[in-house]
């Protein structure tokens, strides 16, 4: 506890390019951009596969295989290929990490909708896209948001690897503290990562309460 007090009470940790505000903004940039890119890929694909049933086996197998990819290994490989002149070396592995939970939960959410509800929608004269967006997506929304929440927590926690290749983020506190045996900085950086991950979880939990229909929430 004393280490955290020393970390947050030190004015030097709150100013300059290596201060808490700058490192926090860098970490948020990595995390938010990676999550948006992953969602832009995984949600449309999950909706299409879940709705049509085409390629479901390939999607699920590929998503599960992607979970086994070593994030740090991909980061180092991308750095060797493209260098460190941009944020892509850290964004690519983070996107690959975030896609599987979003894709699988979106697919399962749409596929798991009651077939009678789907048939009733077609019986009312709705067409394929109308059935998907007016009936299936609202019912599947809790699982879609769950996938986004899991991905966000994983991305926030894993974005610390950016420090391994000289990029910014909260991981700099952890790496620099370990390198200099300044464990006050290390513990302070780790604490900030945990708080940010918990904030992401709380944010998506609140979003789920606001965005999901009360009727769907009760059923779930």
């Amino acid at each position: 506890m004393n280490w955290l007090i020393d970390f947050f009470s030190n004015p030097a940790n709150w100013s300059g390019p290596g201060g808490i505000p700058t490192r926090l903004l860098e970490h948020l940039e990595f995390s938010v951009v990676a999550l948006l890119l992953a969602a832009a890929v995984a949600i449309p694909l999950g909706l299409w596969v879940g709705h049509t049933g085409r390629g479901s086996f390939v999607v699920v197998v590929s998503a599960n295989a992607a979970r086994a990819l070593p994030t740090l290994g991909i980061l180092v490989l991308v750095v060797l290929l493209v260098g460190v002149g941009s944020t892509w070396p850290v964004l690519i592995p983070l996107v690959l990490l975030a896609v599987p939970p979003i894709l699988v939960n979106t697919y399962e959410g749409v596929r798991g909708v009651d077939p009678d509800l789907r048939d009733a929608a077609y019986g009312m004269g709705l067409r394929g896209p109308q059935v998907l967006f007016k009936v299936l997506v609202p019912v599947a929304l809790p699982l879609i948001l769950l996938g986004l929440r899991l991905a966000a927590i994983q991305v926030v926690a894993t974005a610390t690897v950016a420090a391994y290749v000289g990029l910014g983020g909260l991981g700099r506190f952890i790496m620099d503290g370990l390198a200099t045996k300044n464990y006050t900085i290390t513990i302070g950086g780790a604490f900030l990562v945990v708080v940010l991950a918990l904030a992401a979880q709380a944010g998506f939990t609140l979003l789920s309460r606001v965005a999901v229909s009360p009727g769907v929430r009760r059923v779930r």
Side-chain angles (χ1 to χ4, degrees):
M1 189 65 181
N2 291 333
W3 282 339
L4 289 177
I5 295 174
D6 292 340
F7 176 75
F8 287 107
S9 63
N10 187 348
N13 293 332
W14 291 94
S15 61
I20 293 173
T22 301
R23 295 304 187 198
L24 181 60
L25 288 176
E26 291 171 345
H27 204 95
L28 283 172
E29 179 185 358
F30 296 148
S31 302
V32 171
V33 173
L35 188 63
L36 289 176
L37 290 174
V41 173
I43 291 180
L45 182 58
L47 292 177
W48 180 78
V49 174
H51 183 43
T52 63
R54 299 173 184 172
S56 57
F57 177 78
V58 175
V59 167
V60 173
V61 170
S62 300
N64 289 330
R67 290 174 174 170
L69 294 175
T71 303
L72 183 58
I74 297 174
L75 175 66
V76 174
L77 177 61
V78 175
V79 168
L80 293 176
L81 293 176
V82 304
V84 290
S86 68
T87 58
W88 285 109
V90 67
L91 289 180
I92 291 175
L94 290 179
V95 170
L96 292 176
L97 177 70
V99 163
I102 301 174
L103 176 59
V104 171
N105 277 275
T106 301
Y107 161 73
E108 292 290 349
V110 174
R111 188 179 70 95
V113 174
D114 190 341
D116 292 338
L117 184 60
R118 188 191 300 255
D119 293 340
Y122 281 115
M124 294 173 60
L126 298 181
R127 298 182 181 274
Q130 293 175 313
V131 173
L132 175 61
F133 291 105
K134 291 186 177 182
V135 178
L136 303 185
V137 169
V139 177
L141 191 57
L143 273 180
I144 296 174
L145 291 176
L146 174 61
L148 288 168
R149 185 177 72 188
L150 294 174
I153 295 171
Q154 292 177 359
V155 166
V156 167
T158 311
T160 54
V161 299
Y164 280 91
V165 292
L167 296 175
L170 297 175
R172 291 302 314 174
F173 291 121
I174 299 173
M175 293 297 298
D176 293 346
L178 290 175
T180 59
K181 296 185 178 180
N182 186 342
Y183 300 117
T184 298
I185 297 178
T186 300
I187 293 174
F191 178 79
L192 286 172
V193 173
V194 171
V195 170
L196 192 58
L198 292 175
Q201 175 167 323
F204 276 102
T205 301
L206 179 61
L207 178 61
S208 179
R209 290 184 177 274
V210 173
V212 176
S213 167
V216 173
R217 195 160 57 237
R218 283 195 296 269
V219 172
R220 290 291 180 182

PDB file of all heavy atoms in Angstrom, residues 44-74:
ATOM      1  N   PRO A  44     -19.715  -8.003 -38.047  1.00  0.00           N
ATOM      2  CA  PRO A  44     -20.402  -8.323 -39.314  1.00  0.00           C
ATOM      3  C   PRO A  44     -20.241  -9.779 -39.720  1.00  0.00           C
ATOM      4  O   PRO A  44     -21.201 -10.414 -40.191  1.00  0.00           O
ATOM      5  CB  PRO A  44     -19.734  -7.381 -40.325  1.00  0.00           C
ATOM      6  CG  PRO A  44     -19.210  -6.259 -39.509  1.00  0.00           C
ATOM      7  CD  PRO A  44     -18.776  -6.880 -38.218  1.00  0.00           C
ATOM      8  N   LEU A  45     -19.035 -10.332 -39.535  1.00  0.00           N
ATOM      9  CA  LEU A  45     -18.810 -11.728 -39.907  1.00  0.00           C
ATOM     10  C   LEU A  45     -19.624 -12.661 -39.024  1.00  0.00           C
ATOM     11  O   LEU A  45     -20.240 -13.623 -39.511  1.00  0.00           O
ATOM     12  CB  LEU A  45     -17.318 -12.053 -39.791  1.00  0.00           C
ATOM     13  CG  LEU A  45     -16.893 -13.468 -40.202  1.00  0.00           C
ATOM     14  CD1 LEU A  45     -17.290 -13.748 -41.656  1.00  0.00           C
ATOM     15  CD2 LEU A  45     -15.387 -13.653 -40.017  1.00  0.00           C
ATOM     16  N   GLY A  46     -19.653 -12.389 -37.727  1.00  0.00           N
ATOM     17  CA  GLY A  46     -20.437 -13.221 -36.818  1.00  0.00           C
ATOM     18  C   GLY A  46     -21.924 -13.152 -37.111  1.00  0.00           C
ATOM     19  O   GLY A  46     -22.632 -14.167 -37.049  1.00  0.00           O
ATOM     20  N   LEU A  47     -22.429 -11.956 -37.438  1.00  0.00           N
ATOM     21  CA  LEU A  47     -23.846 -11.814 -37.789  1.00  0.00           C
ATOM     22  C   LEU A  47     -24.177 -12.595 -39.049  1.00  0.00           C
ATOM     23  O   LEU A  47     -25.200 -13.293 -39.123  1.00  0.00           O
ATOM     24  CB  LEU A  47     -24.189 -10.334 -37.987  1.00  0.00           C
ATOM     25  CG  LEU A  47     -24.147  -9.440 -36.740  1.00  0.00           C
ATOM     26  CD1 LEU A  47     -24.436  -7.988 -37.125  1.00  0.00           C
ATOM     27  CD2 LEU A  47     -25.138  -9.910 -35.695  1.00  0.00           C
ATOM     28  N   TRP A  48     -23.325 -12.480 -40.049  1.00  0.00           N
ATOM     29  CA  TRP A  48     -23.590 -13.146 -41.332  1.00  0.00           C
ATOM     30  C   TRP A  48     -23.550 -14.666 -41.178  1.00  0.00           C
ATOM     31  O   TRP A  48     -24.454 -15.375 -41.650  1.00  0.00           O
ATOM     32  CB  TRP A  48     -22.571 -12.694 -42.376  1.00  0.00           C
ATOM     33  CG  TRP A  48     -22.776 -13.326 -43.711  1.00  0.00           C
ATOM     34  CD1 TRP A  48     -23.711 -12.993 -44.649  1.00  0.00           C
ATOM     35  CD2 TRP A  48     -22.039 -14.424 -44.271  1.00  0.00           C
ATOM     36  NE1 TRP A  48     -23.605 -13.804 -45.753  1.00  0.00           N
ATOM     37  CE2 TRP A  48     -22.584 -14.688 -45.542  1.00  0.00           C
ATOM     38  CE3 TRP A  48     -20.969 -15.194 -43.820  1.00  0.00           C
ATOM     39  CZ2 TRP A  48     -22.090 -15.703 -46.362  1.00  0.00           C
ATOM     40  CZ3 TRP A  48     -20.479 -16.202 -44.633  1.00  0.00           C
ATOM     41  CH2 TRP A  48     -21.043 -16.444 -45.890  1.00  0.00           C
ATOM     42  N   VAL A  49     -22.536 -15.157 -40.494  1.00  0.00           N
ATOM     43  CA  VAL A  49     -22.402 -16.611 -40.323  1.00  0.00           C
ATOM     44  C   VAL A  49     -23.528 -17.146 -39.442  1.00  0.00           C
ATOM     45  O   VAL A  49     -24.129 -18.188 -39.732  1.00  0.00           O
ATOM     46  CB  VAL A  49     -21.022 -16.966 -39.733  1.00  0.00           C
ATOM     47  CG1 VAL A  49     -20.946 -18.455 -39.423  1.00  0.00           C
ATOM     48  CG2 VAL A  49     -19.927 -16.581 -40.700  1.00  0.00           C
ATOM     49  N   GLY A  50     -23.837 -16.443 -38.371  1.00  0.00           N
ATOM     50  CA  GLY A  50     -24.904 -16.900 -37.494  1.00  0.00           C
ATOM     51  C   GLY A  50     -26.262 -16.894 -38.164  1.00  0.00           C
ATOM     52  O   GLY A  50     -27.108 -17.746 -37.896  1.00  0.00           O
ATOM     53  N   HIS A  51     -26.475 -15.916 -39.054  1.00  0.00           N
ATOM     54  CA  HIS A  51     -27.769 -15.793 -39.726  1.00  0.00           C
ATOM     55  C   HIS A  51     -27.919 -16.794 -40.865  1.00  0.00           C
ATOM     56  O   HIS A  51     -28.976 -17.412 -41.027  1.00  0.00           O
ATOM     57  CB  HIS A  51     -27.930 -14.374 -40.252  1.00  0.00           C
ATOM     58  CG  HIS A  51     -29.243 -14.101 -40.911  1.00  0.00           C
ATOM     59  ND1 HIS A  51     -30.446 -14.534 -40.388  1.00  0.00           N
ATOM     60  CD2 HIS A  51     -29.553 -13.433 -42.060  1.00  0.00           C
ATOM     61  CE1 HIS A  51     -31.440 -14.153 -41.179  1.00  0.00           C
ATOM     62  NE2 HIS A  51     -30.918 -13.491 -42.202  1.00  0.00           N
ATOM     63  N   THR A  52     -26.856 -16.976 -41.635  1.00  0.00           N
ATOM     64  CA  THR A  52     -26.943 -17.853 -42.807  1.00  0.00           C
ATOM     65  C   THR A  52     -26.517 -19.282 -42.505  1.00  0.00           C
ATOM     66  O   THR A  52     -26.926 -20.208 -43.212  1.00  0.00           O
ATOM     67  CB  THR A  52     -26.057 -17.313 -43.943  1.00  0.00           C
ATOM     68  OG1 THR A  52     -24.676 -17.322 -43.529  1.00  0.00           O
ATOM     69  CG2 THR A  52     -26.461 -15.882 -44.305  1.00  0.00           C
ATOM     70  N   GLY A  53     -25.682 -19.472 -41.484  1.00  0.00           N
ATOM     71  CA  GLY A  53     -25.165 -20.800 -41.178  1.00  0.00           C
ATOM     72  C   GLY A  53     -24.038 -21.236 -42.078  1.00  0.00           C
ATOM     73  O   GLY A  53     -23.519 -22.345 -41.934  1.00  0.00           O
ATOM     74  N   ARG A  54     -23.618 -20.382 -42.999  1.00  0.00           N
ATOM     75  CA  ARG A  54     -22.539 -20.735 -43.920  1.00  0.00           C
ATOM     76  C   ARG A  54     -21.176 -20.487 -43.289  1.00  0.00           C
ATOM     77  O   ARG A  54     -20.926 -19.425 -42.756  1.00  0.00           O
ATOM     78  CB  ARG A  54     -22.663 -19.898 -45.199  1.00  0.00           C
ATOM     79  CG  ARG A  54     -23.960 -20.104 -45.951  1.00  0.00           C
ATOM     80  CD  ARG A  54     -24.083 -19.123 -47.098  1.00  0.00           C
ATOM     81  NE  ARG A  54     -25.366 -19.235 -47.781  1.00  0.00           N
ATOM     82  CZ  ARG A  54     -25.791 -18.397 -48.717  1.00  0.00           C
ATOM     83  NH1 ARG A  54     -25.020 -17.370 -49.082  1.00  0.00           N
ATOM     84  NH2 ARG A  54     -26.973 -18.565 -49.286  1.00  0.00           N
ATOM     85  N   GLY A  55     -20.312 -21.471 -43.390  1.00  0.00           N
ATOM     86  CA  GLY A  55     -18.950 -21.328 -42.889  1.00  0.00           C
ATOM     87  C   GLY A  55     -18.835 -21.315 -41.382  1.00  0.00           C
ATOM     88  O   GLY A  55     -17.813 -20.875 -40.840  1.00  0.00           O
ATOM     89  N   SER A  56     -19.851 -21.800 -40.678  1.00  0.00           N
ATOM     90  CA  SER A  56     -19.822 -21.733 -39.215  1.00  0.00           C
ATOM     91  C   SER A  56     -18.673 -22.560 -38.638  1.00  0.00           C
ATOM     92  O   SER A  56     -17.998 -22.125 -37.703  1.00  0.00           O
ATOM     93  CB  SER A  56     -21.154 -22.205 -38.642  1.00  0.00           C
ATOM     94  OG  SER A  56     -21.458 -23.522 -39.083  1.00  0.00           O
ATOM     95  N   PHE A  57     -18.444 -23.751 -39.191  1.00  0.00           N
ATOM     96  CA  PHE A  57     -17.376 -24.607 -38.673  1.00  0.00           C
ATOM     97  C   PHE A  57     -16.011 -23.933 -38.843  1.00  0.00           C
ATOM     98  O   PHE A  57     -15.193 -23.916 -37.914  1.00  0.00           O
ATOM     99  CB  PHE A  57     -17.386 -25.952 -39.391  1.00  0.00           C
ATOM    100  CG  PHE A  57     -16.268 -26.868 -38.972  1.00  0.00           C
ATOM    101  CD1 PHE A  57     -16.341 -27.560 -37.770  1.00  0.00           C
ATOM    102  CD2 PHE A  57     -15.140 -27.038 -39.765  1.00  0.00           C
ATOM    103  CE1 PHE A  57     -15.301 -28.397 -37.367  1.00  0.00           C
ATOM    104  CE2 PHE A  57     -14.115 -27.867 -39.383  1.00  0.00           C
ATOM    105  CZ  PHE A  57     -14.199 -28.558 -38.180  1.00  0.00           C
ATOM    106  N   VAL A  58     -15.784 -23.355 -40.010  1.00  0.00           N
ATOM    107  CA  VAL A  58     -14.499 -22.710 -40.278  1.00  0.00           C
ATOM    108  C   VAL A  58     -14.301 -21.520 -39.354  1.00  0.00           C
ATOM    109  O   VAL A  58     -13.209 -21.303 -38.812  1.00  0.00           O
ATOM    110  CB  VAL A  58     -14.422 -22.264 -41.754  1.00  0.00           C
ATOM    111  CG1 VAL A  58     -13.137 -21.474 -42.011  1.00  0.00           C
ATOM    112  CG2 VAL A  58     -14.498 -23.466 -42.679  1.00  0.00           C
ATOM    113  N   VAL A  59     -15.355 -20.741 -39.146  1.00  0.00           N
ATOM    114  CA  VAL A  59     -15.249 -19.553 -38.301  1.00  0.00           C
ATOM    115  C   VAL A  59     -14.927 -19.932 -36.862  1.00  0.00           C
ATOM    116  O   VAL A  59     -14.033 -19.361 -36.227  1.00  0.00           O
ATOM    117  CB  VAL A  59     -16.555 -18.737 -38.361  1.00  0.00           C
ATOM    118  CG1 VAL A  59     -16.581 -17.695 -37.250  1.00  0.00           C
ATOM    119  CG2 VAL A  59     -16.685 -18.061 -39.709  1.00  0.00           C
ATOM    120  N   VAL A  60     -15.644 -20.897 -36.322  1.00  0.00           N
ATOM    121  CA  VAL A  60     -15.429 -21.294 -34.929  1.00  0.00           C
ATOM    122  C   VAL A  60     -14.036 -21.889 -34.743  1.00  0.00           C
ATOM    123  O   VAL A  60     -13.329 -21.566 -33.788  1.00  0.00           O
ATOM    124  CB  VAL A  60     -16.509 -22.295 -34.480  1.00  0.00           C
ATOM    125  CG1 VAL A  60     -16.192 -22.828 -33.094  1.00  0.00           C
ATOM    126  CG2 VAL A  60     -17.873 -21.625 -34.482  1.00  0.00           C
ATOM    127  N   VAL A  61     -13.624 -22.757 -35.656  1.00  0.00           N
ATOM    128  CA  VAL A  61     -12.294 -23.375 -35.554  1.00  0.00           C
ATOM    129  C   VAL A  61     -11.202 -22.318 -35.672  1.00  0.00           C
ATOM    130  O   VAL A  61     -10.225 -22.313 -34.913  1.00  0.00           O
ATOM    131  CB  VAL A  61     -12.124 -24.462 -36.632  1.00  0.00           C
ATOM    132  CG1 VAL A  61     -10.665 -24.931 -36.686  1.00  0.00           C
ATOM    133  CG2 VAL A  61     -13.034 -25.646 -36.350  1.00  0.00           C
ATOM    134  N   SER A  62     -11.364 -21.392 -36.632  1.00  0.00           N
ATOM    135  CA  SER A  62     -10.370 -20.339 -36.816  1.00  0.00           C
ATOM    136  C   SER A  62     -10.288 -19.433 -35.594  1.00  0.00           C
ATOM    137  O   SER A  62      -9.199 -19.036 -35.167  1.00  0.00           O
ATOM    138  CB  SER A  62     -10.714 -19.506 -38.056  1.00  0.00           C
ATOM    139  OG  SER A  62     -10.737 -20.310 -39.215  1.00  0.00           O
ATOM    140  N   ALA A  63     -11.446 -19.096 -35.027  1.00  0.00           N
ATOM    141  CA  ALA A  63     -11.454 -18.236 -33.843  1.00  0.00           C
ATOM    142  C   ALA A  63     -10.775 -18.921 -32.666  1.00  0.00           C
ATOM    143  O   ALA A  63      -9.995 -18.298 -31.936  1.00  0.00           O
ATOM    144  CB  ALA A  63     -12.885 -17.858 -33.487  1.00  0.00           C
ATOM    145  N   ASN A  64     -11.047 -20.201 -32.471  1.00  0.00           N
ATOM    146  CA  ASN A  64     -10.411 -20.930 -31.373  1.00  0.00           C
ATOM    147  C   ASN A  64      -8.911 -21.071 -31.601  1.00  0.00           C
ATOM    148  O   ASN A  64      -8.124 -21.011 -30.646  1.00  0.00           O
ATOM    149  CB  ASN A  64     -11.052 -22.303 -31.216  1.00  0.00           C
ATOM    150  CG  ASN A  64     -12.465 -22.223 -30.659  1.00  0.00           C
ATOM    151  OD1 ASN A  64     -12.785 -21.313 -29.900  1.00  0.00           O
ATOM    152  ND2 ASN A  64     -13.313 -23.158 -31.033  1.00  0.00           N
ATOM    153  N   ALA A  65      -8.515 -21.254 -32.864  1.00  0.00           N
ATOM    154  CA  ALA A  65      -7.082 -21.350 -33.168  1.00  0.00           C
ATOM    155  C   ALA A  65      -6.389 -20.017 -32.916  1.00  0.00           C
ATOM    156  O   ALA A  65      -5.245 -19.981 -32.442  1.00  0.00           O
ATOM    157  CB  ALA A  65      -6.884 -21.783 -34.620  1.00  0.00           C
ATOM    158  N   ALA A  66      -7.076 -18.911 -33.216  1.00  0.00           N
ATOM    159  CA  ALA A  66      -6.478 -17.587 -33.016  1.00  0.00           C
ATOM    160  C   ALA A  66      -6.200 -17.312 -31.548  1.00  0.00           C
ATOM    161  O   ALA A  66      -5.285 -16.565 -31.197  1.00  0.00           O
ATOM    162  CB  ALA A  66      -7.387 -16.507 -33.593  1.00  0.00           C
ATOM    163  N   ARG A  67      -6.989 -17.928 -30.661  1.00  0.00           N
ATOM    164  CA  ARG A  67      -6.778 -17.721 -29.222  1.00  0.00           C
ATOM    165  C   ARG A  67      -5.449 -18.294 -28.760  1.00  0.00           C
ATOM    166  O   ARG A  67      -4.923 -17.869 -27.730  1.00  0.00           O
ATOM    167  CB  ARG A  67      -7.909 -18.372 -28.436  1.00  0.00           C
ATOM    168  CG  ARG A  67      -9.246 -17.661 -28.589  1.00  0.00           C
ATOM    169  CD  ARG A  67     -10.357 -18.431 -27.919  1.00  0.00           C
ATOM    170  NE  ARG A  67     -11.614 -17.698 -27.932  1.00  0.00           N
ATOM    171  CZ  ARG A  67     -12.778 -18.204 -27.595  1.00  0.00           C
ATOM    172  NH1 ARG A  67     -12.843 -19.472 -27.208  1.00  0.00           N
ATOM    173  NH2 ARG A  67     -13.866 -17.472 -27.629  1.00  0.00           N
ATOM    174  N   ALA A  68      -4.931 -19.262 -29.512  1.00  0.00           N
ATOM    175  CA  ALA A  68      -3.682 -19.907 -29.107  1.00  0.00           C
ATOM    176  C   ALA A  68      -2.450 -19.158 -29.605  1.00  0.00           C
ATOM    177  O   ALA A  68      -1.331 -19.521 -29.253  1.00  0.00           O
ATOM    178  CB  ALA A  68      -3.655 -21.350 -29.623  1.00  0.00           C
ATOM    179  N   LEU A  69      -2.647 -18.113 -30.416  1.00  0.00           N
ATOM    180  CA  LEU A  69      -1.509 -17.374 -30.949  1.00  0.00           C
ATOM    181  C   LEU A  69      -0.803 -16.607 -29.835  1.00  0.00           C
ATOM    182  O   LEU A  69      -1.449 -15.944 -29.027  1.00  0.00           O
ATOM    183  CB  LEU A  69      -1.972 -16.399 -32.033  1.00  0.00           C
ATOM    184  CG  LEU A  69      -2.539 -17.017 -33.315  1.00  0.00           C
ATOM    185  CD1 LEU A  69      -3.065 -15.922 -34.234  1.00  0.00           C
ATOM    186  CD2 LEU A  69      -1.474 -17.839 -34.025  1.00  0.00           C
ATOM    187  N   PRO A  70       0.527 -16.680 -29.780  1.00  0.00           N
ATOM    188  CA  PRO A  70       1.270 -15.946 -28.744  1.00  0.00           C
ATOM    189  C   PRO A  70       1.334 -14.460 -29.083  1.00  0.00           C
ATOM    190  O   PRO A  70       1.947 -14.058 -30.074  1.00  0.00           O
ATOM    191  CB  PRO A  70       2.658 -16.584 -28.784  1.00  0.00           C
ATOM    192  CG  PRO A  70       2.798 -17.102 -30.188  1.00  0.00           C
ATOM    193  CD  PRO A  70       1.410 -17.485 -30.631  1.00  0.00           C
ATOM    194  N   THR A  71       0.711 -13.630 -28.257  1.00  0.00           N
ATOM    195  CA  THR A  71       0.626 -12.201 -28.545  1.00  0.00           C
ATOM    196  C   THR A  71       2.007 -11.553 -28.623  1.00  0.00           C
ATOM    197  O   THR A  71       2.292 -10.771 -29.534  1.00  0.00           O
ATOM    198  CB  THR A  71      -0.210 -11.502 -27.454  1.00  0.00           C
ATOM    199  OG1 THR A  71      -1.492 -12.116 -27.397  1.00  0.00           O
ATOM    200  CG2 THR A  71      -0.371 -10.028 -27.766  1.00  0.00           C
ATOM    201  N   LEU A  72       2.854 -11.877 -27.662  1.00  0.00           N
ATOM    202  CA  LEU A  72       4.185 -11.286 -27.659  1.00  0.00           C
ATOM    203  C   LEU A  72       4.990 -11.730 -28.874  1.00  0.00           C
ATOM    204  O   LEU A  72       5.723 -10.933 -29.474  1.00  0.00           O
ATOM    205  CB  LEU A  72       4.920 -11.657 -26.366  1.00  0.00           C
ATOM    206  CG  LEU A  72       6.301 -11.042 -26.179  1.00  0.00           C
ATOM    207  CD1 LEU A  72       6.227  -9.521 -26.224  1.00  0.00           C
ATOM    208  CD2 LEU A  72       6.916 -11.506 -24.854  1.00  0.00           C
ATOM    209  N   GLY A  73       4.849 -12.996 -29.270  1.00  0.00           N
ATOM    210  CA  GLY A  73       5.557 -13.483 -30.450  1.00  0.00           C
ATOM    211  C   GLY A  73       5.112 -12.766 -31.715  1.00  0.00           C
ATOM    212  O   GLY A  73       5.938 -12.404 -32.564  1.00  0.00           O
ATOM    213  N   ILE A  74       3.807 -12.540 -31.846  1.00  0.00           N
ATOM    214  CA  ILE A  74       3.301 -11.812 -33.016  1.00  0.00           C
ATOM    215  C   ILE A  74       3.801 -10.373 -32.997  1.00  0.00           C
ATOM    216  O   ILE A  74       4.171  -9.811 -34.041  1.00  0.00           O
ATOM    217  CB  ILE A  74       1.760 -11.841 -33.025  1.00  0.00           C
ATOM    218  CG1 ILE A  74       1.270 -13.280 -33.172  1.00  0.00           C
ATOM    219  CG2 ILE A  74       1.209 -10.979 -34.155  1.00  0.00           C
ATOM    220  CD1 ILE A  74      -0.223 -13.420 -33.049  1.00  0.00           C
TER     221      ILE A  74
END
